[in-house]
Structures are given as structure tokens and as C-alpha cells.
Amino acid sequence: MAGHEALAGRGAVVTGAAGGIGRALATRLVAEGARVVVNDLDADAVRRTAEEIGAVAVPGDCSSDAGVRALVEEATAELGRIDVYLANAGIDGAGGPDSLQTPDDVWERVVDVNVMAHVRAARLLVPEWVASAEAGGEGGRFVVTASAAGLLTMIGSAPYSVTKHAAVGFAEWLSVTYGHRGVTVQAICPQGVRTRMLEEAGPLQDLLSHDEALTPETVAGCWVDALADDRFLVLPHPEVAAYYAARATDTDRWLGGMRRLQSKLDDHLAGPA
């Protein structure tokens, strides 16, 4: 089922929903008539969000195997069935010129949140959706909040860039493998969005805002609009499509341009001679 009617009456889960894009997605889901469970590590903040928007809070760590199992179990008990799962939680990890030296434990945490959280949730949800569709019922919708970094790259943070590529790659694999078996998969890939992550981006803030920093509500609206044709890539910044095409058709030229941007950043960080 496509379009706004894909949400009315549906049971939906949004991770990383205490603020930012996650809260905006959850708010829009409620407005569209969905029954919503919101999840976040910040228990107090996600409970406030739930109270304010009319959702149910299930705090916890959606990235661990035990955490995602508890989330799916509690959300299913609350909703009856999870029809839509928005894997929105994400972290940026270490950035800056020493990003290559990011310790293994930080890499592991970023991989857990930005990639394995999706894998662990899909393991639980997809088989049931496929079985339901094959029995003549409804399947489900799995939505990943990735980033334009997952299609391009991210200057300044190796863990973020690599894991967002992996998040898009996993979503693509899900779509290829289960898209004809009742599972709709989408990847939301914005550039700069007015969230705490952007506020804390330091000298990268101007770069990420080059094509306008959007509000989280705008991003959520773009996703809802994308339900009309169930398109896989949801690009709140339409310019990203052109950058993505340029990267694919002339990779060396694109890499050269990115190196020039990196050089400008290096000069900025170095300051006056």
C-alpha cells in the first residue's frame, strides 16, 4: 500500500526519536493516523516526546541484540503488529583530522548503532512480514535514516562515512532480496539538517549546510511524500541526486573535488600561519 493511506492505522516504531529527525518522523506518523512507539537511549527525553506527540515510549538500546528484541517485543505487545519500522537512530563517532586513529571500541559502537541495529531489527521483522505476505496478508515497511554521506562520503569522520555507506548497502540488499516478497524498503539520505549533530559539527557546519540546512520536519515530510511511489531513495536535498550521479560517472573527478574541499578544511583548522 502506497501513499498516505500506508500510514493510517498502522503500527510504527521509530528509533532515535527523542529529538531531531526521529521525533519529526514520529510526529508526522501520529498526524497521519499511525499508532506509534518511540525509542531512544535517553529515557526521560523519549518519554517527554511520547507524551507531547501522543505516542508510546519504549526506552532502550535499539542497537544491541537484547535491546532490539525487547523493543520489538514491547512494541508488538502495544501495537498488535509492527507494520512500519523506522531505523533512525544514529551517531557520528569521532571526527576531525585524527579520525583515522579512532579507537576500535568507538568504531564498534558506531557500527552497532548505524548498521547492526538495522540488521538485528530486520532479522526479527522481515521473516514475519514475508510470511504474512505469502499467506495473503500485509508485509511491512523498513525505513533506514542514512545520510547523503552514505551515497557520497563524509569529510571529517571515517566511522560515520563508512557506516552510512553500509546502512545504504544493507537497505539496498533488503530491497533486492525481499522487495518482491512484501517488504518495502526505503533509505532517507539528507545532507545538512538542523539537529544537534549539525550544531556540533564545528567547521563542517558550513559544508553540510551548503545546499541549505533543512528542518527535521521537512525531512519527515519528504519521506511521507515518497510513500506515493514507494521510491527507495528519499532525497530531501534534490541536489544529492546530481552529486551521486557525478560520483558514479566520473569518480576520479569527483574525488578530486572532494580532496579540494578537504584541503580547504585543513587550511581552516590550521588557522593563520
Side-chain angles (χ1 to χ4, degrees):
M1 184 178 292
H4 291 227
E5 64 270 22
L7 301 179
R10 298 297 188 269
V13 174
V14 186
T15 67
I21 294 173
R23 179 185 170 114
L25 288 167
T27 301
R28 187 60 186 268
L29 280 160
V30 171
E32 295 289 337
R35 296 169 297 112
V36 181
V37 165
V38 288
N39 162 268
D40 201 282
L41 262 179
D42 189 332
D44 291 339
V46 80
R47 288 190 181 105
R48 285 195 299 271
T49 291
E51 182 177 352
E52 290 167 2
I53 71 173
V56 175
V58 179
D61 182 2
C62 69
S63 69
S64 70
D65 183 68
V68 76
R69 286 181 184 277
L71 171 59
V72 168
E73 182 178 337
E74 291 186 49
T76 301
E78 178 66 36
L79 302 170
R81 183 179 193 272
I82 298 173
D83 302 293
V84 185
Y85 191 92
L86 292 100
N88 170 79
I91 56 176
D92 57 358
D98 294 327
S99 182
L100 181 61
Q101 305 304 325
T102 301
D104 285 359
D105 62 326
V106 176
W107 270 97
E108 289 165 5
R109 180 59 182 156
V110 180
V111 169
D112 262 350
V113 176
N114 291 0
V115 185
M116 291 308 299
H118 307 172
V119 175
R120 289 165 180 149
R123 282 176 182 158
L124 300 176
L125 296 167
V126 169
E128 293 190 10
W129 287 342
V130 169
S132 175
E134 289 177 346
E138 295 186 6
R141 183 182 299 270
F142 197 93
V143 183
V144 169
T145 300
S147 166
L151 303 176
L152 306 170
T153 195
M154 175 65 175
I155 286 176
S157 177
Y160 186 82
S161 181
V162 170
T163 55
K164 289 302 182 177
H165 275 281
V168 173
F170 179 66
E172 289 176 341
W173 182 87
L174 276 182
S175 181
V176 168
T177 308
Y178 298 104
H180 62 299
R181 300 176 65 189
V183 181
T184 302
V185 185
Q186 295 175 294
I188 306 172
C189 297
Q191 286 196 111
V193 182
R194 296 175 199 166
T195 64
R196 185 174 63 182
M197 189 177 292
L198 180 65
E199 293 171 359
E200 296 174 352
L204 287 174
Q205 191 173 117
D206 289 342
L207 176 63
L208 294 171
S209 305
H210 176 72
D211 292 313
E212 182 186 7
L214 302 178
T215 66
E217 291 73 22
T218 298
V219 174
C222 288
W223 171 63
V224 172
D225 290 344
L227 298 176
D229 58 7
D230 283 340
R231 76 194 72 147
F232 175 77
L233 281 182
V234 180
L235 302 178
H237 295 83
E239 301 88 350
V240 170
Y243 301 154
Y244 189 36
R247 175 180 178 269
T249 55
D250 194 343
T251 305
D252 288 312
R253 181 179 180 184
W254 179 82
L255 285 170
M258 293 300 289
R259 284 193 292 268
R260 287 191 291 274
L261 285 176
Q262 179 67 62
S263 180
K264 290 180 180 178
L265 179 63
D266 292 344
D267 290 343
H268 175 81
L269 292 173

